[in-house]
């Protein structure tokens, strides 16, 4: 499973990219707003830090407007992926962009049916949201089941759309995403710092340090 970082914060991206395990970045309107800067400026800087797919989300609207906005981002750098919301207009925009060989990431996916529509539209990536689904259903395995089911459905038909496990809240989600066969997990910086930790690792380090 590949790791993307789910942030628009350049400092977090700089630190994480030095670990050598980050191969892409996802942003969304909330993450961009948190930085208090324009999307194009942030995205441009991210392209200098990470050499891999970088998702820039278009504003929800009609397909024509979304395609127009998408072209301005796609022209900025070959690594830009257009993140598009799961609506009929979004699906339409995804089909159009896919016919122009522009990479897309269909976001806000909460069902296999939606994931199948994204794939049929030629989406490069689909982003099922684990945390938000777990919260909505009050079931800590709801996101996990969704990823497993999308994996089965895609494998049934040899669908190449890559599954990005998104809305990750804790390391357990990473384990679930990997066990479900997700292609990618997009991980907030904080969750990366939690993933490296284990009480027995800390204890083991202490034992080895004191062994001298
Ligand atoms: C990434 O593509 C998504 O926009 C992001 O993971 C959503 O996370 P959230 O549910 O924590 O906002």
């Amino acid at each position: 499973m590949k790791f993307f970082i789910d942030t628009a914060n350049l400092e977090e991206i700089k630190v994480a990219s030095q670990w050598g395990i980050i191969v892409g970045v996802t942003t969304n309107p909330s993450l961009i707003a948190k930085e208090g800067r324009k999307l194009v400026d942030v995205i441009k800087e991210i392209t200098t830090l990470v050499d891999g797919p970088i998702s820039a989300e278009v504003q929800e609207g009609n397909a024509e407007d979304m395609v127009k906005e998408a072209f301005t981002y796609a022209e900025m750098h070959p690594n830009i992926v257009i993140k598009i919301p799961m609506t009929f207009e979004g699906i339409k925009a995804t089909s159009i962009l896919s016919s122009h060989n522009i990479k897309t990431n269909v976001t806000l996916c909460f069902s296999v049916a939606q994931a199948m529509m994204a794939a049929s539209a030629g989406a490069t990536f689909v982003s099922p949201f684990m945390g938000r689904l777990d919260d909505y259903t009050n079931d800590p395995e709801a996101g996990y089941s969704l990823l497993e089911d999308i994996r089965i459905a895609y494998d049934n038909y040899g669908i190449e759309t890559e599954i990005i496990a998104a809305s990750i809240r804790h390391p357990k989600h990473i384990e679930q995403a990997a066990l479900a066969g997700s292609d990618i997990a997009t991980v907030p910086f904080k969750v990366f710092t939690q993933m490296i930790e284990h009480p027995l690792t800390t204890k083991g380090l202490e034992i080895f340090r004191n062994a001298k």
Side-chain angles (χ1 to χ4, degrees):
M1 186 171 72
K2 292 173 276 187
F3 288 124
F4 287 2
I5 185 163
D6 195 23
T7 185
N9 183 282
L10 298 175
E11 284 312 309
E12 290 183 350
I13 296 171
K14 273 182 206 159
V15 173
S17 63
Q18 287 166 9
W19 301 331
I21 60 169
I22 310 292
V23 294
V25 181
T26 52
T27 66
N28 65 33
S30 314
L31 293 171
I32 297 282
K34 233 166 91 183
E35 300 308 308
R37 298 179 62 204
K38 275 172 42 187
L39 183 144
V40 280
D41 297 336
V42 177
I43 293 292
K44 207 176 281 171
E45 285 197 51
I46 296 176
T47 61
T48 67
L49 300 174
V50 175
D51 185 17
I54 297 160
S55 287
E57 190 159 341
V58 293
Q59 278 185 3
E60 191 224 330
N62 64 48
E64 198 179 280
D65 289 346
M66 286 192 271
V67 168
K68 211 168 140 197
E69 190 183 347
F71 272 116
T72 65
Y73 302 152
E75 278 161 12
M76 283 168 52
H77 196 280
N79 283 345
I80 304 289
V81 173
I82 309 303
K83 210 165 167 198
I84 301 188
M86 183 72 74
T87 61
F88 271 120
E89 290 300 306
I91 290 296
K92 195 169 148 188
T94 302
S95 305
I96 296 168
L97 293 169
S98 147
S99 73
H100 286 87
N101 288 323
I102 292 175
K103 292 197 176 92
T104 52
N105 171 3
V106 178
T107 189
L108 290 168
C109 173
F110 294 95
S111 72
V112 176
Q114 290 179 327
M116 293 306 285
M117 290 179 89
S120 291
T124 319
F125 303 100
V126 67
S127 290
F129 277 30
M130 301 188 79
R132 291 195 203 182
L133 189 61
D134 288 0
D135 293 346
Y136 179 72
T137 55
N138 205 16
D139 171 3
E141 304 231 317
Y144 183 16
S145 301
L146 173 62
L147 290 175
E148 284 184 318
D149 291 348
I150 296 173
R151 178 76 283 154
I152 292 167
Y154 277 13
D155 288 350
N156 280 346
Y157 299 98
I159 290 170
E160 287 178 6
T161 302
E162 290 194 84
I163 303 168
I164 305 181
S167 187
I168 283 177
R169 302 274 159 79
H170 44 67
K172 186 81 196 162
H173 275 151
I174 305 297
E175 293 168 9
Q176 293 174 332
L179 292 172
S182 300
D183 299 288
I184 298 148
T186 190
V187 187
F189 186 85
K190 189 178 156 206
V191 176
F192 276 120
T193 65
Q194 294 166 341
M195 283 163 66
I196 197 90
E197 284 177 9
H198 191 283
L200 292 179
T201 305
T202 312
K203 197 174 165 195
L205 287 170
E206 205 182 314
I207 292 168
F208 290 149
R209 260 185 232 123
N210 295 336
K212 292 173 206 153

